[in-house]
Amino acid sequence: MEKKTILELKNVRKVFGQIVALDSVSFALKRGEIHGLLGGNGAGKTTLMNILYGLYRKDEGEILLRDQAVSIQGPRDAINQGIGMVHQHFLQISNFTVLENIILGTDVKNKYTMKMDQEAEKVKELCQRFGLNVNLNDMISTLTVGARQKVEILKALYRGVDILILDEPTTNLTPQEVDALFVSLRVMVNDGLSIVFITHKLREVLSVCDRITVLREGKNITTLDRKDASEEVFVRAMVGEKMDIENSIYFATEVRQTFDRTSVEAPKLKLENVNLISQDGIPRLKDVNLEVFGGEIVGIAGVAGNGQRELAEVVTGVVPVSNGKKIYLGDDVTSKTNEDLLSSGFSYIPEDRLSDGFLPKATVAQNLILGQHRIKPYSDGRFINWKTVYAETTKNIKEYNIKTNGPGDIGGNLSGGNIQRVLIARAFSMDSQVMVAHNPTRGLDIPSMDFVYQKMLARREAQLATLLISEDLDELMRISDRIAVIFRGQILGVLARDEFDKYAIGRLMSGITSENQPTEEKNLP
Amino acid sequence: MDTMIIEFLRLVLLSMVPFVLAGQGTMLGGRTGVFNVAQEGMMLVGASVGFLVSFFSGSIFLGIIVAMLSGALFGFALAYFTTSLKMNQFVIGLSLFFIGLGVSTLLPKLILGITLTPPLIPTLKSIPIPLLSQIPFIGPILFKQNILVYVSVLVSIGLWYFLFRTQKGLELRSVGEYPMTADSLGINTTKMRYWSTIIGGMLIGMAGAYLPMVYAGTFTEGMTMGRGWLAIALTFFGGWSPLPILYGSLFFSAIEVLAFRVQVIGSFLPYQILQMFPYIATILVMIFTFKRSRVPAFLGNNYDREKRSL
């Protein structure tokens, strides 16, 4: 039997300032299907769904829900119409319990005593039916990302939605958690729900979706049944005609040579028992031992917030180590400041580009030399040679495809993706001995991501060392030579390229080592 | 000896009232994110207006009501400037403090002129509760107090119940924690902030009115003597929770009574040092409970739906 269309978005247009985010995009969702909304960063997936959920106003177009035109002014309207959305950033109150978060904003039976046995019963029933196990009395602040996502889904289900939108739901989940999520989604659609699954990960839509719509640069590219299309079709739809897929790293299938460490004598960078204790006395890094060799890309995997940021900042000298040793090219650089390190061959792509990596009021040229402004060719040690700076940065703007009016343009005028390109250009334009790249491809579209990977592999060829910290496990497995897994500030294991296995890495990411056998329902805080 | 202790403790309860009411008022506004720093000015207006209305109407009750309305007015102003106009809470709070300070001094001068003997109003009588006040020791301390002592305790318990045992209370707290979440779930954050600040303002106004009605029988300039500022310290001391604020008030009040005693009978310790104790204690409490402190996450911030960072 043909499934009925439950929701239809017709010719939706949305303009932000001068940028056309959505250009006459249409989308149809059928009852009981998982519909993948696939596209790279900036394709307009989230914008489209935010319009459906009432967070953005559309400039043109219409929304048909169960064949009726509807006007959705805010999330409240959306929920009343049976539409729920799970955002990438959870809207939860961290010092409320799970149950309180789920019922918040709905009428409970005992308003004046808040005895919520009946509500808890209903939530527990949902948990069981859809395989979403969380302890209702736990504080949100003690939960893992995976558990918090279940709470977010339960919030929508509790409100009785029949259309559920999930925005990049697998970000920061371990592969095991991803599998469990997919099982739950399948139960939901079998139960009559319809699901929109927003993602940029092709493999995920292929494994869980019934139909797939591809967006690129704010335009509809195609909508296809999963079973009618091959992987190649989607790849081409996602990236357009211009990109050379054959030689891309993003879509590479062939096995790369494992890094041969025996040919290199000593690591470029070595951390010996590095510890970091934060100001409030909490250990953030515990006895970290790590070596990065020239010609090697070492990946750091882990669920966000397990010490990745601290590791990057310790290596680059932004924060001093509490104890332990840092060796760079055989010298002890433990007490060197980041000014010293940046001048002597380190480069750094920080995770939080807006607060740590970019000066919005400075020019693009100034931003492009930031941190390297003390050394040649930009400076003779005392004065900055602006002529060279402008010549070099003009070249970089071109090579790194930064969309700007020129080196004199104010940084704040750039879009997020272009700011990221500035950070990348800055780090890669110098042949630094050691690069620390933290989520370097965040906010980039696929061709740009691929460009970053090419650059990293070029560093590898040039016998330079790269430390890649990423929340995207696929990215790490794509280009790392070794992957170290960090959990609560500890390196729980290091795997070489021929040992890569996403489930093994996933286990380590949730703190399960071989000595400490998995316990199924345990929520690791 | 016994009577001295009883008298001391009775006074502690008596003097706790302005702390309790102003503290709970501050807490209530803060629970939706509005950080009021105008208490000192608002209490002075409450004291001034409460005194004048009582003086002319002969009704203390009416004086209290009008003082509460004056507090509500200041609360409304605070809510309007911060929540509707999204202006900086501290700047607005300090401005309101100075306005309150000026208004409280000006009103009696305009209305009463300058008098040689201070005009007096009757002070609040203690209302002994039948039977309970007969209990030895505890009776005279707890159950032989004026009406506002009982009211302030009931307000504290009532607020605790409201915030932690009702649906509206949960919704109100969510606004002070993460208004974006509350908004996305259909909770009217603006309305919540207005009401909590207005009702909080009423409590602060009542706290001010208490002063001429219990201590002097008249209004004097600056008669709050820093109790409004102490109320801010108290809310932090009490972790922005009604019952700990009630207990904290007892401590703050005990110090006040002690400082007064020392001032009268003299001691090796200057009373100014004693008067610093509540502040020092607050700092110590904040240091030692830092990690567990339950300050509303959104305290002092204004929420702008259009600037949604999703």
Side-chain angles (χ1 to χ4, degrees), chain A residues 305-483:
Chain A
N306 273 290
Q308 290 96 323
R309 187 194 173 103
E310 289 80 1
L311 180 65
E313 293 189 336
V314 154
V315 170
T316 52
V318 178
V319 293
V321 300
S322 303
N323 55 63
K325 247 173 149 183
K326 241 172 19 178
I327 315 272
Y328 167 56
L329 302 178
D331 298 329
D332 186 344
V333 293
T334 312
S335 55
K336 288 267 203 286
T337 64
N338 79 318
E339 178 181 342
D340 294 334
L341 294 177
L342 285 175
S343 305
S344 62
F346 274 69
S347 59
Y348 179 30
I349 302 174
E351 165 196 40
D352 185 350
R353 58 182 172 235
L354 289 180
S355 66
D356 293 341
F358 197 75
L359 302 174
K361 289 194 173 143
T363 62
V364 173
Q366 285 165 347
N367 271 298
L368 275 166
I369 64 163
L370 204 64
Q372 285 136 7
H373 58 281
R374 302 182 192 91
I375 49 171
K376 282 183 171 154
Y378 302 134
S379 165
D380 60 6
R382 277 168 304 169
F383 298 107
I384 290 179
N385 184 343
W386 287 106
K387 225 167 142 185
T388 319
V389 169
Y390 275 82
E392 287 294 316
T393 51
T394 308
K395 260 196 283 173
N396 286 336
I397 287 169
K398 200 152 175 266
E399 186 187 350
Y400 292 87
N401 196 16
I402 300 165
K403 292 193 184 86
T404 172
N405 296 329
D409 196 7
I410 297 298
N413 294 340
L414 301 187
S415 70
N418 276 305
I419 292 176
Q420 189 66 24
R421 286 191 186 93
V422 169
L423 264 60
I424 286 169
R426 183 165 75 205
F428 282 100
S429 60
M430 285 286 192
D431 275 340
S432 51
Q433 292 295 317
V434 175
M435 171 184 282
V436 179
H438 196 173
N439 290 333
T441 59
R442 180 182 278 183
L444 299 182
D445 55 18
I446 294 168
S448 307
M449 284 168 93
D450 209 67
F451 175 79
V452 174
Y453 299 152
Q454 307 274 11
K455 285 279 179 188
M456 285 198 171
L457 292 184
R459 284 181 60 80
R460 191 170 173 269
E461 289 302 309
Q463 298 300 306
L464 303 170
T466 308
L467 184 64
L468 171 65
I469 304 172
S470 179
E471 280 155 26
D472 184 346
L473 193 51
D474 294 333
E475 172 171 287
L476 290 168
M477 293 180 52
R478 223 173 268 141
I479 63 167
S480 306
D481 293 295
R482 285 186 295 148
I483 292 178

Side-chain angles (χ1 to χ4, degrees), chain B residues 40-49 51-52 74 97-110 219-224:
Chain B
E40 184 80 358
M42 290 166 75
M43 281 176 74
L44 280 169
V45 172
S48 173
V49 167
F51 162 71
L52 287 171
F74 271 75
F97 155 67
F98 281 109
I99 292 170
L101 186 65
V103 167
S104 68
T105 323
L106 188 65
L107 279 180
K109 282 195 179 142
L110 279 180
F219 175 79
T220 51
E221 275 180 43
M223 74 184 303
T224 44

Side-chain angles (χ1 to χ4, degrees), chain A residues 55 92 106-108 111-112, chain B residues 161 165-167 174 178 310:
Chain A
L55 289 173
Q92 290 167 358
T106 66
D107 274 331
V108 299
K111 279 183 190 207
Y112 301 109
Chain B
Y161 189 85
R165 288 289 181 278
T166 71
Q167 185 185 314
S174 77
Y178 196 179
L310 285 173

